[in-house]
Amino acid sequence: MPAILSIEALGKQYKSGHKALEGVDLSIERGEIFALLGPNGAGKTTLISIVCGTVTRSAGTITVAGHDIDHARREARQRIGLVPQEIALDMFSTVLNTVRFSRGLFGKAPDPAYIEEILRDLSLWDKRHARTMELSGGMKRRVMIAKALSHEPELLFLDEPTAGVDVNLRRDMWALVRKLRERGMTIILTTHYIEEAEEMADRVGVINGGRLLLVEDKDALMRKMGKRQLTLTLQTPLPAIPAELAEWSLVLAEDGLRLIYSFDAQAEDTGMPALLHRLSELGIAYRDLDTSRSTLEDIFVNLVEKAA
Amino acid sequence: MSGVNLHGIWAIYRTEMARTLRTIWQSVATPVITTALYFIVFGGAIGSRMSHVGGVGYGAFIVPGLIMLSLLTQSISNASIGIYFPKFTGTMFEILSAPLNAVEAVIGYVGAAATKSVVIGLIILATATFFTDVRILHPVWMVAFLLLTSLTFSLFGFLIGIWAKNFEQLAIIPSLVITPLTFLGGAFYSIDMLPQPWRTVSLFNPVVYLVSGFRWSFYGLGDVGVGASLGFTAGFMALCLIALAWIFRTGWRLKP
Ligand SMILES: Nc1ncnc2c1ncn2[C@@H]1O[C@H](COP(=O)(O)OP(=O)(O)O)[C@@H](O)[C@H]1O
Ligand SMILES: [Mg+2]
């Protein structure tokens, strides 16, 4: 079975001359949650918009479930649902009517039972006769999702689904995305919140300046790129790092009370046992010991800096 | 799904008609009141002092022109707002991302706008019968002109809606071009009544052909031949279609 989405050598230059995307290759497997992670202006929205057909592309080919988005437009597009970054609704329409409209627009026969199901899932059923302009921001966003799901797409794009959304709504959104995935939906979301990618994604693609810097299994990425840190809280402050400890890259912090050792989590020999052994030989006593793993944020900052 | 996206066309058509129904009173009351006013002023006050035009009473003579005036303005404004609104609110992304081709989208939007124009044209016709004695010599042609004009100018309105970047631009063509051309296009007089060179100049006004053909279908008399009227309308429609095909192919003013 072909990949649900395959992008090859995608390029986009806006009329202003700005190159928003260059040589992007990406393949998405069925059923995965893929997070496209990048700072503002990286080209995330441009990438999504091109796949969905709302922005033209300058170069490259794109297929959806093996269907070319130009030559088999209909087959490709009916498989895609899009929740754009900005909320855009027909203010005068009711919730029910605007969701029905979307289903029809995507070529599906009416299915009141299915529409009821998604509206109930999104806690919108009680509001089905309300005009969209009467709804709160969070509800409007859910209406956007209901519209995108109305035609039973296989591939759902969520462009910055939780930007400017409060914490509760963000949790709800994450729960919803997981539920959709359990039903077999493939989800591509963009975000500039590392936390979100870390929380949700199976795989992460890091994009910056229109280039896809890397695509990696999230856990593998964490393992491969992740640094670990050992923090020792000492019983008595050290004036300086003793010469006997020179072979470890150590940092002394908090007026000599904290000794921090950073090391590669992937390395065969982390050097940690040896360090602890040497400390006891030197008679340096510690009250507390803590290790932490770097977040995707650290990884991301690292990558972007390297690429710059 | 294969073939034509009928559900998609219907979704657009239905939503557009619902938009009209939301403002049903403005939609119907405005043309009825306007028409009544025209009859009181032109048909009653002025027309009573005017002789018959080509054997037709002045009140009856202006009926086709009045309907044509409404058809043009209504078709253009309905269709242009219909497609401009999604651009304005941002909901256009959905139309652009749907498995819908240009022809299907145009049938939905233009079909709805033209339907509304035809209904309003018929309402004006019905209103007119209260004020004057209307005869229709060629009813089939009358309906044909009604449909053709509504469709053509709805297409034109659709183009304006895509072209417009703001509400001013949306209003400028109807008020600065269409209304003057209609008033100067023989809606309220026969261009035979004009002195030269204005008579000849009028022949360059496209609305003359529309009004003339339409009036011919009522009373069997026109300023220009009915063939020229039909040819002009069909030609203008073809131009609009070519422009639309180009817009959808290039994404002009629709896609960055
Ligand atoms: N319509 C447009 N015309 C010109 N430049 C644009 C347009 N849309 C986006 N850009 C530029 O392209 C780059 C990528 O934008 P975008 O895809 O929206 O980034 P992101 O979604 O990652 O924040 C930005 O520098 C942005 O300014
Ligand atoms: Mg964006």
Side-chain angles (χ1 to χ4, degrees), chain A residues 14-16 18 20 38-47 85 159-160, chain B residues 256:
Chain A
Y14 280 108
K15 288 181 196 97
S16 62
H18 181 83
N40 280 324
K44 305 181 295 293
T45 299
T46 302
L47 180 75
Q85 197 168 345
D159 198 0
E160 310 253 1

Side-chain angles (χ1 to χ4, degrees), chain A residues 51-102:
Chain A
V51 176
C52 294
T54 62
V55 168
T56 58
R57 66 184 185 281
S58 314
T61 48
I62 300 171
T63 61
V64 176
H67 302 285
D68 185 282
I69 61 163
D70 290 331
H71 303 128
R73 214 173 107 102
R74 184 150 294 174
E75 286 72 15
R77 289 189 176 194
Q78 63 186 354
R79 290 177 162 80
I80 298 177
L82 166 64
V83 183
Q85 197 168 345
E86 307 288 340
I87 292 172
L89 291 167
D90 177 355
M91 315 173 264
F92 300 105
S93 253
T94 64
V95 171
L96 192 56
N97 282 343
T98 194
V99 175
R100 280 183 188 155
F101 170 77
S102 300

Side-chain angles (χ1 to χ4, degrees), chain A residues 115-132:
Chain A
I115 300 291
E116 177 171 348
E117 186 188 327
I118 43 179
L119 289 183
R120 283 192 189 281
D121 272 358
L122 290 160
S123 316
L124 287 169
W125 184 244
D126 293 341
K127 292 279 180 190
R128 64 191 179 281
H129 297 306
R131 289 181 180 198
T132 59

